Amino acid sequence: MSNVQGYFDPRFETVRELFAEQQTDEQARGGALCVTVGGETVLDLWQGVVDKDNQQVWEQDTLVNVFSCTKPLGAVALLQQVEAGRIELDSPLAEAWPEFAQAGKEQITLRQVLSHRSGLSAISDTLPPEALFDWDTMATALAAQEPWWTPGAAHGYAPVTYAWLLGEPLKRLSGERPGAYIQQHICQPLGMDFFVGVPDDDLQRIAHVSRLRNQYGDDYARKLFASMGQPEGMGFKAFGNPSSMMVSTNTREWQQAEILSANGTGNARSLARFWQVMAHGGSLDGAHLLDDKLVNVMQQQHSQGMDKTLLAPTRFGLGIMLDQDWEGGGFGMGPQAYGHPGAGGSLGFCDPEAGVGFGYVTNTMGPYVLMDPRALALSREVYRCLKQQD
């Protein structure tokens, strides 16, 4: 017996059936799926439970941490500064953040930071757990950090430091705190129920996140987890320094911080809405995120090949992942699709050719490096339905 709630266009009934079937996994807890095609929402579904005791049902307005699905919002926020003429893509980041110009980082550009080419995927000095929630401590540590490789020479994903690499310049260029900026200039104009730093009144809507047990992912995931076991290595530092990164997800400190690389909290509907507008070149029906020229630059390949942090092949534009042709590296739609997965399974992306905006969120974290098989299966089925209608 399925407990799927919400709306579906009958043309996409098989997607709804697949979503319901995923809930029959005995470890499944809760999740939501929203898909837009052109100007309309064709799927807006949710199911399961939000709490660790499996007592509380997932509601229409349940929120959940979507981890790195937050990164493209931070990238758009910075690109809005470019659009406003406050900084250029190829300007040194130090123009906005003078303290950054030390330890060999004088020439690192905004473009390099956005495309994970800055060599700043991790902080090498061990920081205390509470440092993660002190904005200035993290910004100061990054400003002092030496790049792990020659900036521009290679790429390596910055899972957490990205928040300050983008957020500190954003703060200085806009005069606003990053979470407040994203709320005012991205979420509110688009009507997104999404926060980087959840207000007190909304905390009770957040689903409790837990991990799938006895699941080990693919070969890339195993390689990454092995690298995270080496305390002096970049992989360990990128995901585990400060150590609170790994254990804070369900805490109020995490939910209310402004870690725009990892702690965005929202729902499938808000992700699909963001990507619906991006699928249409950054503007749709009076909602404007970004000039279409900058959206085009975002989609250009800036990094490709073996990722120094993830130890898997990755392709990046500016603040977004691009499609790849290996299982788990692509979005399950057309080759022009782009977006961003989040740790544990959430996924937000668009396919401009198909006019699709896609959002999937879950509170049951899987172990994959890039795309989660649950989200991918749903995306592929959406695409199959679209092709049938052509």
Side-chain angles (χ1 to χ4, degrees):
M1 174 58 193
S2 157
N3 66 349
V4 177
Q5 305 290 310
Y7 165 79
F8 69 100
D9 178 315
R11 293 173 301 168
F12 296 89
E13 187 165 7
T14 55
V15 184
R16 182 189 181 277
E17 286 166 4
L18 178 60
F19 183 63
E21 187 188 309
Q22 291 182 348
Q23 189 64 19
T24 60
D25 180 324
E26 59 185 26
Q27 289 195 56
R29 292 181 51 250
L33 170 70
C34 184
V35 180
T36 60
V37 180
E40 61 172 329
T41 299
V42 297
L43 292 153
D44 185 5
L45 306 171
W46 59 93
Q47 65 185 354
V49 293
V50 297
D51 62 323
K52 55 179 184 290
D53 303 318
N54 296 345
Q55 298 298 311
Q56 238 180 308
V57 298
W58 193 289
E59 304 278 0
Q60 184 169 359
D61 68 346
T62 292
L63 302 172
V64 68
N65 185 186
V66 299
F67 298 99
S68 292
C69 293
T70 318
K71 285 186 171 77
L73 279 71
V76 165
L78 247 295
L79 290 167
Q80 287 177 344
Q81 310 314 302
V82 175
E83 187 175 322
R86 296 185 187 124
I87 191 170
E88 290 179 11
L89 266 176
D90 296 308
S91 302
L93 204 64
E95 276 187 17
W97 182 8
E99 298 87 334
F100 188 76
Q102 55 175 305
K105 301 195 301 302
E106 295 77 6
Q107 299 307 314
I108 291 176
T109 64
L110 176 55
R111 190 190 296 270
Q112 287 171 334
V113 164
L114 283 166
S115 55
H116 298 282
R117 304 187 73 79
S118 68
L120 297 168
S121 300
I123 291 168
S124 39
D125 288 346
T126 302
L127 296 169
E130 61 275 12
L132 187 62
F133 307 111
D134 185 318
W135 184 272
D136 292 340
T137 300
M138 292 297 288
T140 302
L142 255 183
Q145 178 68 38
E146 243 178 78
W148 291 77
W149 65 86
T150 305
H155 76 284
Y157 184 56
V160 184
T161 53
Y162 206 69
W164 291 271
L165 288 171
L166 300 190
E168 187 62 23
L170 177 63
K171 192 165 141 247
R172 295 181 184 223
L173 292 165
S174 71
E176 296 176 56
R177 289 197 63 91
Y181 181 91
I182 286 171
Q183 194 55 36
Q184 195 184 328
H185 298 275
I186 295 176
C187 300
Q188 284 171 2
L190 266 55
M192 292 165 61
D193 192 6
F194 193 99
F195 306 93
V196 179
V198 178
D200 291 350
D201 290 350
D202 294 290
L203 288 171
Q204 78 282 357
R205 295 199 280 138
I206 303 176
H208 185 278
V209 173
S210 62
R211 289 178 188 278
L212 285 168
R213 296 180 305 281
N214 305 321
Q215 301 236 354
Y216 305 102
D218 54 14
D219 289 345
Y220 289 124
R222 288 189 282 275
K223 200 161 69 166
L224 175 64
F225 297 139
S227 83
M228 284 159 63
Q230 298 159 5
E232 289 312 307
M234 189 176 74
F236 175 85
K237 302 274 190 188
F239 289 95
N241 181 30
S243 59
S244 45
M245 283 179 195
M246 298 303 261
V247 293
S248 298
T249 305
N250 294 304
T251 65
R252 185 171 174 156
E253 287 82 10
W254 175 268
Q255 291 162 351
Q256 295 199 308
E258 296 178 73
I259 305 169
L260 55 85
S261 54
N263 86 323
T265 304
N267 48 32
R269 199 175 301 116
S270 52
L271 286 179
R273 172 63 175 150
F274 175 83
W275 289 109
Q276 177 187 32
V277 176
M278 293 301 285
H280 292 82
S283 301
L284 181 67
D285 298 338
H288 176 77
L289 273 178
L290 210 54
D291 182 289
D292 61 351
K293 290 188 204 60
L294 280 169
V295 173
N296 284 334
V297 176
M298 275 183 94
Q299 294 171 66
Q300 288 165 16
Q301 177 178 294
H302 284 72
S303 300
Q304 181 190 25
M306 197 48 78
D307 189 300
K308 284 184 166 294
T309 312
L310 295 176
L311 309 181
T314 54
R315 271 184 85 213
F316 288 100
L318 298 179
I320 53 158
M321 272 188 193
L322 300 172
D323 202 64
Q324 300 184 86
D325 59 4
W326 59 275
E327 179 68 32
F331 295 97
M333 289 201 185
Q336 301 308 312
Y338 68 95
H340 217 292
S346 295
L347 179 62
F349 77 92
C350 68
D351 183 338
E353 284 175 305
V356 167
F358 182 99
Y360 170 80
V361 301
T362 174
N363 61 346
T364 327
M365 291 181 75
Y368 292 83
V369 176
L370 299 182
M371 313 304 164
D372 188 281
R374 295 167 292 181
L376 260 185
L378 293 164
S379 156
R380 287 191 175 125
E381 188 56 28
V382 168
Y383 201 52
R384 196 187 68 77
C385 292
L386 281 170
K387 288 288 180 220
Q388 263 187 333
Q389 293 154 32
D390 284 353

